[in-house]
Amino acid sequence: MRQVVAHRLGGLLGPFVLAFLYLVPLVLWAATAPLDTRFTGRFQTLTSIALLLAYAGTSAFALNLVLGARLRAVEALFGGLDRMYRAHRVNGELAFALLLGHVVLILASRATISTETALDLLGPGAGWTVFAGVLAFTGMTVAIVVTLFVRVNHELFVYVQRSFGVVFLGAAYHVFTSSGPRSDSRALNLYLAALATLGIAAFLYRSVLGSLLVRRRRYRVVAVNRLDENVTEFELLGEPLAFAPGQFVFVCFHSPTLDRQFGPLLRNQFHPFSITSAPDERTLRITVKAVGDYTRAMRLLEPGAEAVVEGPYGSFGAETENERQVWIAGGIGVTPFLSMARSLDGAGSEVDFYYCVEREPEAHFLDELRSISRERDGFRVVLVPRETDGFLTGERLAA
């Protein structure tokens, strides 16, 4: 029960902390001078609003680097890595919107003088302080567009995400070499510097020095079970890993086959996979469906390959103490439920597990799940093949 309460509180606390950190620079700015002096005339009003957007946007940008670093303490604030990553996406979009507003209003304020004055801000002639901001915002725009609207493979997506750290360095240079924070408030300048330092430190920890600083375990592939032409189960042996059923790990495999196919640049690319073994098993098991280049290449792995594991993460199974539960899995989405089912003891919650697949032969682990059902009272497995039974509906569940 303690785990459930912590999980729910964490989910509420994270967004509250983010909102508080956004508001601090606005309060510090408002406290340094009478507001009526900052909103006199079109030029001054547009400039003041642009500065407010810049301070909030810079704070959001720095915090997004922290959210992307997979820090345990930050994950706990959000009640799991999945929720933290959802906040990371929304926060990144908010940071971009705030900084876009800053750019638009700064140009609009200068346009009150002349169009030429506004356009001069976009070129290197405005000085390195201003041009660094232009380059940083351009880089941020490109990275946001690629992330949200371009379909790229996992490896390229990782490098695009890492580029945000470099972009932020340019943004930080723009902020702290301009006169705004220094002239507005020493407290505001120190606050933004602290957030920027935190964001850069998180970027260095995860993206630059991750191989040295991030806690990872080395395993060896001891069994490869190819369940069909797409799905493969891997058993890994190494240092015992403490995890809760339903969690996942990031894994990077090393073998001559993968190294030849993907080259040295991808040797440290970690992919997320749900843990399918129970916590008390000797080996760590993951089950993978070939849906991309990397996961298809994993089909060629053989026992003896090296695996580097980071984690565990996630909170999918954190609320499994309810007395009455319904589990619903579709296809390869069965993987976290396998760990949960394999962890069931002889008593506890009543569970109805609906296992939905396209065709019955695709229901991997069905025999094992039914065996658990026979041995464990209150655990019922219902197979739902769409080919013969159609899709699972709310009406069917209620019946």
Side-chain angles (χ1 to χ4, degrees):
M1 188 64 183
R2 184 179 303 168
Q3 180 188 18
V4 175
V5 172
H7 169 68
R8 290 175 177 168
L9 287 177
L12 295 173
L13 190 57
F16 175 80
V17 171
L18 284 182
F20 174 78
L21 294 174
Y22 296 155
L23 292 175
V24 169
L26 309 188
V27 173
L28 293 175
W29 178 86
T32 58
L35 293 181
D36 56 353
T37 64
R38 289 177 161 173
F39 295 94
T40 55
R42 291 173 59 197
F43 176 85
Q44 188 63 40
T45 297
L46 291 172
T47 300
S48 294
I49 298 173
L51 286 175
L52 286 173
L53 294 177
Y55 297 153
T58 301
S59 300
F61 199 169
L63 290 169
N64 226 41
L65 295 177
V66 177
L67 291 175
R70 297 205 293 262
L71 301 170
R72 296 288 187 184
V74 180
E75 181 191 7
L77 282 177
F78 287 87
L81 196 68
D82 47 350
R83 293 184 178 183
M84 190 183 79
Y85 273 167
R86 285 197 292 271
H88 177 268
R89 181 185 177 95
V90 173
N91 184 71
E93 294 170 355
L94 177 62
F96 177 74
L98 291 168
L99 294 175
L100 174 61
H102 166 71
V103 172
V104 170
L105 291 183
I106 280 292
L107 292 175
S109 70
R110 300 310 184 264
T112 61
I113 302 173
S114 70
T115 302
E116 184 179 351
T117 301
L119 294 178
D120 284 345
L121 292 179
L122 301 177
W128 276 111
T129 290
V130 175
F131 196 55
V134 173
L135 292 178
F137 184 74
T138 302
M140 186 181 189
T141 302
V142 172
I144 286 282
V145 169
V146 171
T147 299
L148 297 181
F149 303 111
V150 179
R151 190 177 182 86
V152 297
N153 59 34
H154 178 80
E155 290 75 27
L156 181 57
F157 176 81
V158 169
Y159 283 111
V160 171
Q161 291 298 302
R162 290 179 178 178
S163 72
F164 281 109
V166 178
V167 169
F168 183 75
L169 292 175
Y173 176 84
H174 168 72
V175 170
F176 294 108
T177 57
S178 64
S179 60
R182 294 196 306 273
S183 61
D184 281 336
S185 165
R186 176 176 171 79
L188 174 61
N189 195 44
L190 291 174
Y191 178 80
L192 291 177
L195 277 190
T197 301
L198 191 62
I200 293 170
F203 168 68
L204 293 174
Y205 166 78
R206 169 57 55 184
S207 299
V208 179
L209 302 174
S211 58
L212 298 175
L213 300 180
V214 178
R215 175 76 164 92
R216 289 161 180 163
R217 297 170 174 82
R218 296 193 174 274
Y219 287 75
R220 182 170 50 86
V221 177
V222 294
V224 179
N225 181 19
R226 296 177 178 86
L227 304 177
D228 62 20
E229 66 275 11
N230 292 313
V231 180
T232 308
E233 181 185 51
F234 297 92
E235 292 190 41
L236 314 177
L237 183 63
E239 180 183 345
L241 179 68
F243 65 91
Q247 289 191 300
F248 64 94
V249 289
F250 288 86
V251 186
C252 179
F253 288 97
H254 297 316
S255 76
T257 300
L258 291 184
D259 291 347
R260 282 195 305 270
Q261 186 155 347
F262 291 102
L265 289 178
L266 301 182
R267 281 183 57 84
N268 292 318
Q269 292 293 335
F270 286 78
H271 292 245
F273 300 108
S274 293
I275 301 169
T276 57
S277 50
D280 59 356
E281 291 186 36
R282 180 169 171 266
T283 58
L284 182 71
R285 288 193 272 177
I286 61 173
T287 303
V288 179
K289 184 175 182 178
V291 293
D293 293 342
Y294 190 87
T295 49
R296 278 194 290 269
M298 286 174 59
R299 299 269 302 170
L300 305 177
L301 286 171
E302 297 291 347
E306 182 186 13
V308 183
V309 175
E310 178 188 330
Y313 293 103
S315 57
F316 184 74
E319 297 189 22
T320 56
E321 296 183 12
N322 297 323
E323 293 182 359
R324 190 75 175 83
Q325 299 175 28
V326 175
W327 299 357
I328 304 174
I332 197 61
V334 72
T335 50
F337 293 105
L338 286 173
S339 178
M340 292 159 60
R342 288 165 171 166
S343 305
L344 293 172
D345 53 24
S349 305
E350 295 277 320
V351 178
D352 289 308
F353 180 24
Y354 291 85
Y355 187 2
C356 306
V357 293
E358 181 68 19
R359 293 172 292 276
E360 186 167 345
E362 297 177 2
H364 305 299
F365 307 101
L366 181 61
D367 290 341
E368 180 184 359
L369 290 168
R370 285 174 171 167
S371 176
I372 295 173
S373 177
R374 289 191 294 270
E375 296 172 359
R376 202 271 194 192
D377 292 337
F379 180 63
R380 292 169 290 275
V381 179
V382 181
L383 180 65
V384 186
R386 190 206 62 81
E387 188 178 53
T388 57
D389 293 11
F391 290 109
L392 182 65
T393 65
E395 292 76 12
R396 180 171 176 180
L397 287 173

